[in-house]
Amino acid sequence: MEAIEDIVIVGAGIAGLTTALGLHRLGIRSLVLESSDGLRNAGFALATWTNAWRALDAVGIGQPLRPLHSQLFGRGHEIRCVQRRTLLETLVNELPSGTIRYSSRVLVHLSDGSILKAKVLIGCDGVNSTVATWLGFKKPAFVGRSAIRGCVYYEHGHGFEPKSFRYIAKYEEMEESPAKMKQFVLGKLGKIPDKMRAVIEKTELDNIVLSPLRFRPPREILLGNISKTNGCIAGDAFDPMTPDIGQGGCAALEDGVVLARCLGAALREKQGMSSEEVYKRIEKGLQGYAKERRWGAFELISTAYMMGYIEQSNGRVLNSLRDRILASFLARRRLKMASYDCGKLSAS
């Protein structure tokens, strides 16, 4: 079976759904292919800074999400910890029925044997992106660190102030056993308030995961093909980064808004144009997206990597520099990243 679609987005994650919703707001239909049989809710929550809320407002879902997530204290920034599941469901609920096709994976053809032709192919298919490979990118590199993530639910509220806390421990090889990971974390907490220790103790083993941290080397971002003819990448397929500045999800939202705006401008008033003219406009639109996002992605990935490297260093000299000089510099860099404005959906 053969089908023809104008725009195909591979992956129903944050970047893919944001791009689809942005295009929908501009009156442009897209088809989202998702390899899972439903929404993937891997991960529990993500930090959303001011730049992320600008992107959420651009696609029209900032206001319904705000009352569901408390604002954290944050030096004049809007910072909230947003449940990933809630964010994805909100994006999906704003899309027309039939936008997402589940259990569909892009190989050379679809995994069910059907053939899908598209004028635009957008890879939002994560760190192991098929589309990124087609564009010539290598697999993201392991940084030598992993993150243990967890989530605990309080039926009647946790009673904490709206603040975030960061505790850094030296990386050690770790078995992917939730019970051992939990004991590892408890053994590394040191002197912290009993109320905070109880958060770890209360966490169910099913809510603990180990994630190897990967990133795309910044030089690949500067030199690689983010777009090629009628294809491009966004989100973790494009700019995977370590979580040290809390910008991974924010960047995916930004990618989606910028990409939708650039494609929207390219496909506006295409009636009467020849196929060749349409493809030229598409290619130019994707090149505009790549140009707008390249340097920002380079900065995000570089800043996150360096912050993680410095914070987990065991060298006496680097530790001294970190505590006396680099702490304030890194804090300013983080706030600069969070101040980015991806703009509105319409360039007009």
Side-chain angles (χ1 to χ4, degrees):
M1 185 180 71
E2 182 174 300
I4 299 176
E5 295 285 343
D6 278 353
I7 301 174
V8 171
I9 300 169
V10 186
I14 295 173
L17 294 176
T18 303
T19 303
L21 182 54
L23 290 168
H24 172 60
R25 299 294 194 216
L26 295 172
I28 300 172
R29 184 185 182 279
S30 64
L31 175 66
V32 180
L33 303 179
E34 170 54 46
S35 61
S36 301
D37 57 6
L39 278 182
R40 285 184 290 181
N41 294 320
F44 304 109
L46 58 144
T48 49
W49 291 70
T50 302
N51 55 322
W53 288 101
R54 287 170 175 159
L56 291 168
D57 286 335
V59 294
I61 61 170
Q63 287 308 317
L65 283 173
R66 282 183 174 91
L68 304 177
H69 303 91
S70 299
Q71 183 165 348
L72 306 179
F73 297 147
R75 298 186 183 182
H77 275 265
E78 181 175 10
I79 311 171
R80 301 172 194 268
C81 189
V82 172
Q83 286 190 320
R84 179 182 173 86
R85 180 184 67 243
T86 303
L87 173 57
L88 294 179
E89 289 175 350
T90 303
L91 287 163
V92 169
N93 290 339
E94 294 292 317
L95 289 168
S97 176
T99 298
I100 306 173
R101 183 190 297 180
Y102 294 105
S103 301
S104 298
R105 200 155 47 99
V106 170
L107 302 170
V108 177
H109 51 267
L110 295 185
S111 55
D112 63 2
S114 60
I115 298 172
L116 186 63
K117 293 184 177 181
K119 291 180 181 176
V120 184
L121 177 65
I122 302 172
C124 301
D125 43 344
V127 293
N128 296 313
S129 170
T130 300
V131 182
T133 301
W134 171 69
L135 288 171
F137 282 104
K138 299 177 182 178
K139 296 291 185 184
F142 177 52
V143 300
R145 297 187 290 134
S146 295
I148 297 175
R149 294 182 169 103
C151 183
V152 61
Y153 297 92
Y154 288 83
E155 186 177 352
H156 304 293
H158 51 64
F160 287 104
E161 291 184 277
K163 296 180 179 179
S164 62
F165 296 86
R166 288 171 59 85
Y167 294 95
I168 308 297
K170 180 182 177 182
Y171 174 72
E172 297 180 17
E173 291 292 333
M174 174 61 58
E175 294 183 41
E176 292 190 35
S177 161
K180 291 183 178 180
M181 287 189 281
K182 184 174 182 176
Q183 290 306 311
F184 173 81
V185 173
L186 287 170
K188 294 289 184 178
L189 291 179
K191 295 182 179 180
I192 68 167
D194 291 341
K195 189 176 181 181
M196 297 192 68
R197 181 180 292 274
V199 172
I200 310 299
E201 293 172 341
K202 184 178 172 65
T203 304
E204 299 289 340
L205 297 183
D206 288 344
N207 291 333
I208 300 175
V209 296
L210 179 69
S211 305
L213 301 182
R214 304 183 186 281
F215 82 135
R216 192 172 300 291
R219 66 180 180 278
E220 291 188 20
I221 294 293
L222 289 181
L223 302 176
N225 292 319
I226 301 168
S227 71
K228 182 170 65 175
T229 58
N230 66 331
C232 72
I233 46 177
D236 279 348
F238 165 41
D239 48 19
M241 65 192 76
T242 60
D244 300 282
I245 58 174
Q247 281 290 328
C250 304
L253 290 165
E254 292 175 353
D255 288 347
V257 171
V258 175
L259 180 51
R261 180 173 63 243
C262 291
L263 268 180
L267 295 173
R268 188 181 300 131
E269 300 176 359
K270 65 176 182 177
Q271 289 79 9
M273 280 191 268
S274 66
S275 296
E276 185 178 352
E277 288 175 315
V278 171
Y279 277 111
K280 283 183 178 179
R281 292 189 64 169
I282 288 171
E283 184 174 8
K284 185 176 179 180
L286 295 182
Q287 288 172 348
Y289 158 74
K291 181 179 179 180
E292 186 168 344
R293 293 302 293 160
R294 190 185 300 274
W295 183 252
F298 172 84
E299 284 193 301
L300 284 169
I301 294 172
S302 301
T303 301
Y305 178 82
M306 288 306 301
M307 183 169 285
Y309 178 82
I310 291 170
E311 285 184 337
Q312 295 206 315
S313 169
N314 292 313
R316 187 173 300 176
V317 174
L318 188 54
N319 283 352
S320 178
L321 285 173
R322 177 193 64 199
D323 297 339
R324 297 181 182 182
I325 300 173
L326 293 176
S328 60
F329 170 75
L330 293 174
R332 289 195 300 271
R333 290 290 301 170
R334 176 183 292 180
L335 294 177
K336 178 187 175 185
M337 302 293 101
S339 299
Y340 178 79
D341 187 352
C342 64
K344 308 297 183 184
L345 274 177
S346 176
S348 58

